[in-house]
Amino acid sequence: MHPSLKGKKALIVGVANERSLAWAIAQQLHQGGAELAFTYQGETLERRVRPLAESVKSTFVEPMNVQDDSNMDSVMSKFRDRFGTMDILVHAVAFANREDLDGRFVDTSRAGFLLSMDISAYSLVALAKRAEPLMEAGGSILTLSYYGAHKVMPNYNVMGVSKAALEATVRYLANDLGPKKIRVNAVSAGPIKTLAAAGIRNFRDILAKSEERTPMKENIDQDDVGALGAFLCSPLSKHITGSTMYVDSGAHIMA
Ligand code: 0WE
């Protein structure tokens, strides 16, 4: 299906479990013949990520905290020792304090704002900087966004601001890394039930409302994100960079 991914070496950051969007992308990269490496955050997630990695014949599974520069340095250096070069980086990480995803955005604390921006937006800069020297033959960097970056969505709050920063980060990175033939893009996905969504109050209502809002009258699933992700990581998209592409059954065109 994606023969052009054969032998490509990919680092996947942000798998939490089998419902993760990062995992959906990883599976389609694997189906296209890519070699995969995974990072996980925390011991609880290690128990979930290891078996998933094994199922796609990956033996590179390392802990990574995107708030820790020296930890990121050492993971990237391990990647170089194991694979030599990198072709693909998938960044699928975001966080805001639970209390900041409820009530009024105006109540966001300085610490909550900075935490969300650090983990959800700056981490892409930190990873891209470290991936650049490994992407000797060019490459593709992919991140995940959400329409709350552009329009106010109830309770998305500080995450909307972080995703706006993330999408702007994609453009500035695309400009810096373009001469090295490293492309940087975002997938903006419609709402999907994942671990990240499990913590959201009334997520079932969000899904139901979203479904009726879309032109296609149906929500998307993980495989839709995997397909667009694999496309953006493959040479099929070789002159697409700096873009945020929607996979949302058309929701973003509606007033
Ligand atoms: O970007 C996201 C969610 C990211 C996220 C989720 C959590 C839940 C648990 C970031 N931080 C946390 N922190 C936690 O403690 N999405 C696109 C999914 C999402 O999140 C929402 C949504 C949708 C959709 C939050 C409010 C309203 C809608």
Side-chain angles (χ1 to χ4, degrees), residues 126-137:
L127 276 170
K129 179 160 186 66
R130 290 163 176 81
E132 181 183 8
L134 277 76
M135 291 183 161
E136 291 172 1

Side-chain angles (χ1 to χ4, degrees), residues 65-136:
N65 174 0
V66 297
Q67 292 188 280
D68 181 341
D69 287 338
S70 62
N71 175 228
M72 292 170 95
D73 286 341
S74 81
V75 173
M76 290 310 227
S77 126
K78 278 183 188 164
F79 188 98
R80 188 188 268 294
D81 291 348
R82 176 76 68 88
F83 296 96
T85 58
M86 184 185 291
D87 302 291
I88 294 165
L89 170 66
V90 176
H91 169 275
V93 187
F95 187 77
N97 288 323
R98 182 79 63 88
E99 71 257 30
D100 291 333
L101 296 175
D102 212 349
R104 291 180 3 131
F105 169 69
V106 71
D107 294 326
T108 308
S109 67
R110 186 186 303 272
F113 188 98
L114 293 176
L115 178 69
S116 177
M117 288 288 268
D118 188 22
I119 297 179
S120 314
Y122 181 75
S123 63
L124 181 65
V125 183
L127 276 170
K129 179 160 186 66
R130 290 163 176 81
E132 181 183 8
L134 277 76
M135 291 183 161
E136 291 172 1

Side-chain angles (χ1 to χ4, degrees), residues 94-96 98 101 146 154-156 159 163 191 196 199-200 203 206:
F95 187 77
R98 182 79 63 88
L101 296 175
Y146 187 57
N155 298 325
Y156 199 58
M159 272 311 307
K163 291 300 194 189
I200 309 303
F203 197 74
I206 291 170

Side-chain angles (χ1 to χ4, degrees), residues 19-21 24 28 192-194 220-227:
R19 289 194 307 194
S20 293
L21 302 189
Q28 296 210 27
I192 308 183
K193 201 164 173 232
T194 65
I220 69 156
D221 62 21
Q222 279 86 345
D223 290 344
D224 296 317
V225 177

